[in-house]
Amino acid sequence: MVSEAKHPPAQLGPMPDGLSSQQIVRRHILGSIVQSERSYLDSLKRILQEYQRPLMEAEPRILSVRKIRPIFFRLREIMQCHSMFQIALASRVAEWDSCEKIGDLFVASFSKSMVLDVYSDYVNNFTNAMALIKKACMSKPTFLEFLKVRKQASSVDRITLYGLMVKPIQRFPQFILLLQDMLKNTPTGHVDRLPLQLALTELETLAEKLNEQKRVADQVTETQQLARCVSDRSLSKLLNSEQISLILCETLIETVYSERGQVLKSKERKVFLFGDMLICANINVKGPPDISSLVPVGPKYTLKWSAPLQQVQVVEVGQEGTQTKDTLYQLGGVKRPGGSSGSGSIVLGPPRLYQELQELQHDLSVVEQVTLIVGTLQGTYQNLNTTVAQDWCLALQRLIRIKEDQIQSANKCRLRLQVPGRPDKSGRPVSFTVVFNTPSPVSKISWVNRFHLAKIALRDENTPGWFSAEDDGKTKAPFWCPLLACRMPVFTSKAQEWKAALHNPVQCALLGFSAASTSLPQGYLWVAGAGDSTQGQVDIFSLNRPTPRPVKSLQMGARVRCLEYVPEPTPSEDTETGPHNSTGVGNTICVGLDDGCILVYGSMDTAAQCLVTLRNPEGCPVLCLKHSGNFLFAGLRDGMLMVYERHPGGTSFIMLDVSLYLTVGSDPIRTLLALEGSVWASCANTVTVLDVSSLSTQRFEVHQDPMVSVAHMVRAGGGAWMAFSEGSSIRLFHTETLEHLQEINISTPSSFYNPKGQKSMRVTSLLLICQGLLWVGTAQGIIITLPVPKLEGIPKITGKGMTSLNAHCGPVDFLVALSSTLSPDLLKRDSVVEGHDSACGVEDRSDSSSQESLQQASISAQIDGKRKGRGVLLQYRLRSTSGLPGRPLTMRGEEASDSSLESLEHSMEDGSIYELSDDPDMWVRGRPCDRKGVRRDRVTSVAVLSGGKGFRRLREGSVATAAESTLMIWQLPLTV
């Protein structure tokens, strides 16, 4: 124990006069850090002084020493680390008003290997410690009474031993939140800004490693708990083997329906999704209340059924009637009458809503017939004519859309699975359908997505899909790596060299709610190719189906050098947003050509019409394009930088005029990078930073060899990675101080497959960092991923690189990130918006031909600012059916309530996995994270697409395919 007399805790002095608002906020955050650390140290002291010491000194013994030590394993070392940090923190706080620096203290204190070692040991032992406490409570009444007395003695907060011991698991996520707030209030150029970014990087790396260890430990415990309850020896042996991989497990509510679709019963089940198996188990009664109030008591399970994952199917709304007639169906264990025929659809949702929908559809067919009969009338009648009858039809169609929307909302939390059962007496396959209620729409999406990806992971190309030279013979679980979802050869009329590609995330036809969990991000892929020396070509692929589908090819008068996607400008608040303005500029694609032209295409036009052509005075080839705000920057081969400005008030296309012509250098400008308020332009071995507001420039050297050029630049957080025309190294620079922070040789992780080593390895493409990975494409066709932090710290490479075993035969021409975010409105369980004009029929028709149309203007309905339109899955604009004619014939009834859909809240002492994500509110599951009363749930679909010649597997004896151009798509798990 550190003596507080010799080392008093940190104490922030009185606030001096004349501080800026940011300085005041930073002092308050520092006070929170000091108070938080003091509270944490007090909690550690309470564990050691109020629990460990009395147990060790008790006479007679309450517990043996060999049981006490594992329970409190490594806690004293953790306290020692933070006691040292407390001493340094006190010194820094004392001089805060003169230095205002805290980031370097976190780096120095928590980057030591000792910190990771002691926390890792504690996290890995945590589940074992809880098990020992639980067992001791059940077998030692004196120990149970000891814990009860200690809880009563803690009159201030009544916190349990478990509540104290879970705090080390929560500590680093709490630090991250505090430092994020500090960074937001630290201006650019401040002495503490780079240290804070580095500290965030260190803490995130540490938290990620601990989180992964906690995740693995929890999964092993869950799997072992399940294995003990399985009587089947082969299944029990499989569950106890190291090959088994638990992907997801959750308590779901199974709902059993009668033959007429009425709910018979609902019961909790524990559902386990393994890499190749799905298991459902009954949950037995948990432990005694007096024990469960002190320490989490895990339930015991009884196996209900298990099935190979490949044979389990997810059944969505509208798919019930598409099953084969040779299959017998059981509905939640209740056999359907006449099952031998298997005809008819299965009622899997709320029966009342389905019945009302069927009635409306019947009435519509009748009214359509009446309309035809009315048209044959000879006389003229005021309320009985063709116009009135057509209004009836339109009103009924409107009600059907409302009912479909209600059904869709009611099914957002329902997971339907078709599970294989035992064959019948005649040997025919029998399947039964199980319906689960998930805690939230996000949970349902996660389940369907994990089902989809787990099946992809079982394919040959993903077993294994990645290799790491540092794995020491252990293969990384394929599910946690990007999975090769599909590869597609692209046949063109002439041999082409791909130059660039981009994702055009335009609005597509309406999709079903669950499509986000299995499909790739929606939109179109534009790929630029260069054929002979005089002509070029741009191919457009639709991404609205599981496999990219070519939909159009644009011929260019010159070779295509680059592409740039320019999103529609966001209207300012003072701009009138009437119907005549909302279809104004739109999203556009800019194409840079060898003849000096920049072609601007509308991204929502069926013909992909060229809206405007821009030319530079010299006709110099355009090598790179980048937009920033209202400006478009073009890098030319002669070292000139063209700056085009978007005029306000553009109508149906972007209006651009030359406003500036800057000389960056005498060498070609090969790549551009847009940052907040500045643009980086590379010329030979230097980079010029252009301030957009003042048009001032700053130049710095990034490579010592003047013959080496900067070929690629990507940015994440506070850093920018650069790759060069020669060599196998990539370098990291700070975006604010321009300081060189890290250098990585990409030959190292791939040298196993590259005998020549780094001499022949060269970077040909570099992908914007997505989901914590930096993607590197090489001249050998090999793709490498390097782990980097996801937060706004410095994107330093913090772990081992992975080499894809699926490679191209030639250079990787491009890497493109595809990303779409699900509308937050769809994540609300009660998402049927009130009001007669807000219903939107969410269709689930993947074969609709309208999905392949590039013309989107016709379906982009205008949304009144005062009205809430329904969000549509993976859409970039909201759509309302307010434009439909006719009034509703009836008012909608009250929504059916289902108490089983209520979300399961986590307690503040929740000891489950604490996952890091892009959303700070999602870090600690037990932490209330409402902002202004609304939880910021987000679901993002991400995929990575590479292009190059041919396909090959990096293994001995693999045969490469023909050298035609090939697209490969890697799918990543949804981030929620």
Side-chain angles (χ1 to χ4, degrees), residues 40-197:
Y40 180 58
L41 273 172
D42 288 342
S43 297
L44 296 178
K45 289 178 183 178
R46 286 175 63 179
I47 297 174
L48 298 176
Q49 295 177 354
E50 297 179 15
Y51 289 92
Q52 185 190 36
R53 181 185 294 174
L55 286 172
M56 295 290 287
E57 297 175 351
E59 290 293 342
R61 288 281 184 188
I62 300 176
L63 286 180
S64 63
V65 175
R66 65 181 184 85
K67 290 184 178 180
I68 296 175
R69 284 176 178 168
I71 291 177
F72 303 101
F73 184 58
R74 288 291 212 172
L75 269 170
R76 191 170 295 276
E77 288 88 342
I78 289 177
M79 183 171 177
Q80 193 173 19
C81 291
H82 285 268
S83 296
M84 296 298 103
F85 175 66
Q86 176 83 320
I87 294 174
L89 181 63
S91 174
R92 186 59 57 89
V93 167
E95 56 186 21
W96 175 258
D97 294 315
S98 60
C99 70
E100 290 193 21
K101 193 174 180 181
I102 193 70
D104 60 326
L105 183 60
F106 279 88
V107 174
S109 299
F110 298 112
S111 61
K112 299 173 183 177
S113 59
M114 180 186 69
V115 177
L116 177 61
D117 290 342
V118 297
Y119 267 96
S120 294
D121 289 344
Y122 181 83
V123 167
N124 292 334
N125 182 68
F126 184 80
T127 304
N128 178 52
M130 294 300 107
L132 287 172
I133 294 175
K134 171 191 166 185
K135 187 175 180 180
C137 286
M138 300 178 72
S139 61
K140 301 278 187 180
T142 54
F143 179 69
L144 178 60
E145 187 63 27
F146 171 80
L147 293 183
K148 288 181 179 180
V149 170
R150 292 297 170 182
K151 180 182 177 182
Q152 294 293 333
S154 302
S155 57
V156 177
D157 50 18
R158 302 294 295 275
I159 193 168
T160 63
L161 173 60
Y162 169 75
L164 292 170
M165 291 187 66
V166 80
K167 287 182 180 293
I169 298 177
Q170 301 170 338
R171 190 59 191 138
F172 291 108
Q174 292 168 350
F175 270 150
I176 290 173
L177 291 173
L178 291 167
L179 290 192
Q180 278 186 314
D181 289 340
M182 184 71 85
L183 181 62
K184 289 176 183 177
N185 291 278
T186 304
T188 303
H190 194 285
V191 66
D192 198 25
R193 190 161 175 85
L194 177 57
L196 280 174
Q197 291 172 322

Side-chain angles (χ1 to χ4, degrees), residues 490-634:
V490 180
F491 301 98
T492 54
S493 56
K494 62 183 81 173
Q496 291 198 20
E497 177 188 357
W498 282 338
K499 288 293 185 182
L502 58 80
H503 179 217
N504 175 20
V506 299
Q507 184 179 3
C508 306
L510 302 181
L511 300 173
F513 169 73
S514 62
S517 53
T518 56
S519 65
L520 297 169
Q522 305 300 293
Y524 296 90
L525 175 73
W526 289 50
V527 181
D532 53 31
S533 59
T534 58
Q535 291 186 337
Q537 180 175 314
V538 173
D539 295 305
I540 303 175
F541 298 86
S542 169
L543 300 175
N544 302 326
R545 296 189 180 184
T547 303
R549 177 172 177 264
V551 293
K552 192 169 186 61
S553 182
L554 305 176
Q555 300 300 321
M556 304 293 168
R559 289 165 59 94
V560 182
R561 290 286 188 171
C562 54
L563 298 171
E564 175 72 356
Y565 172 75
V566 182
E568 181 178 11
T570 304
S572 58
E573 295 181 359
D574 56 349
T575 304
E576 183 182 359
T577 57
H580 59 281
N581 284 338
S582 54
T583 58
V585 176
N587 302 326
T588 56
I589 306 293
C590 298
V591 183
L593 303 180
D594 234 358
D595 60 2
C597 293
I598 300 175
L599 308 182
V600 183
Y601 284 86
S603 68
M604 295 191 299
D605 190 271
T606 304
Q609 180 184 0
C610 181
L611 303 178
V612 66
T613 300
L614 309 171
R615 294 181 174 86
N616 63 69
E618 304 297 330
C620 190
V622 180
L623 301 186
C624 50
L625 291 168
K626 187 65 64 177
H627 88 279
S628 178
N630 285 324
F631 294 95
L632 178 69
F633 298 86

Side-chain angles (χ1 to χ4, degrees), residues 760-782:
S760 62
M761 188 65 67
R762 180 173 59 88
V763 177
T764 56
S765 52
L766 205 62
L767 176 61
L768 176 68
I769 296 147
C770 62
Q771 290 198 6
L773 292 176
L774 173 65
W775 292 65
V776 182
T778 67
Q780 287 68 33
I782 298 172

Side-chain angles (χ1 to χ4, degrees), residues 887-923:
R887 292 186 176 182
L889 295 179
T890 58
M891 296 296 291
R892 286 185 295 172
E894 295 181 356
E895 295 295 325
S897 62
D898 189 346
S899 60
S900 66
L901 295 182
E902 294 300 322
S903 61
L904 303 175
E905 296 294 333
H906 296 281
S907 67
M908 289 298 291
E909 296 180 5
D910 186 4
S912 55
I913 303 170
Y914 292 81
E915 293 187 339
L916 291 174
S917 71
D918 291 335
D919 191 343
D921 292 338
M922 303 290 286
W923 284 340

Side-chain angles (χ1 to χ4, degrees), residues 123-124 127 208-224 244-246 476-477 480 913 915:
V123 167
N124 292 334
T127 304
E208 285 273 8
K209 291 178 180 178
L210 295 177
N211 176 68
E212 177 65 13
Q213 293 173 359
K214 181 68 165 62
R215 182 188 66 81
V216 171
D218 286 348
Q219 290 183 352
V220 169
T221 302
E222 285 281 4
T223 304
Q224 291 175 347
I244 197 74
S245 172
L246 180 61
K476 191 178 180 69
W480 303 112
I913 303 170
E915 293 187 339

